[in-house]
Amino acid sequence: MTLVLLATPVLALDFASRRGSPTTDVSIENLAIEDDHFSMTASQERKSATTFRRANWEIEDDTLYITLFSGLVRGGYCQDELNVDIENDALREVRQVCLRDRSFSRLIYSR
């Protein structure tokens, strides 16, 4: 029983580290949006002990929201750059692109 109580927080921290946390503290390069295709490259703004994990996206009205996840450097995760490449017919209606954190959005493109 004691082992289970000790292992639970360790496993939870490991899971959170693998999953990453949302971040908007990035530099955006090579952003392009054309018809049904969107692409961009995100990089860490400053050298730190974090690396990218993954990206999620969602279109609401005329806005594409992208959430980038990063976490502490660890084996298997060493990405300083993250390429986001999306193909979707709904992109034809997108007028702006924002990076999204839990409670914050940062506009990175508007047409």
Side-chain angles (χ1 to χ4, degrees):
M1 178 70 162
T2 303
L3 182 58
V4 170
L5 292 175
L6 293 174
T8 301
V10 172
L11 292 174
L13 286 173
D14 182 61
F15 177 75
S17 175
R18 289 177 193 272
R19 186 167 164 74
S21 299
T23 183
T24 58
D25 190 20
V26 298
S27 177
I28 303 299
E29 303 156 10
N30 306 320
L31 187 145
I33 185 166
E34 299 170 359
D35 297 324
D36 62 349
H37 185 256
F38 171 83
S39 64
M40 73 172 202
T41 301
S43 60
Q44 301 287 341
E45 284 192 343
R46 56 183 175 256
K47 295 297 178 190
S48 67
T50 61
T51 60
F52 288 114
R53 296 295 193 264
R54 60 193 170 90
N56 288 346
W57 61 274
E58 178 178 26
I59 297 174
E60 293 178 6
D61 299 321
D62 65 348
T63 304
L64 170 62
Y65 291 99
I66 300 172
T67 305
L68 303 174
F69 293 85
S70 67
L72 293 176
V73 173
R74 60 182 296 159
Y77 298 104
C78 58
Q79 293 183 14
D80 287 354
E81 288 188 349
L82 182 65
N83 295 314
V84 178
D85 194 35
I86 303 167
E87 286 194 41
N88 189 298
D89 287 337
L91 289 168
R92 295 177 194 277
E93 306 302 320
V94 167
R95 298 288 167 244
Q96 59 187 7
V97 180
C98 294
L99 289 182
R100 182 183 270 176
D101 198 335
R102 287 184 177 98
S103 60
F104 174 75
S105 291
R106 178 180 138 201
L107 180 68
I108 59 171
Y109 177 83
S110 181
R111 54 172 154 177

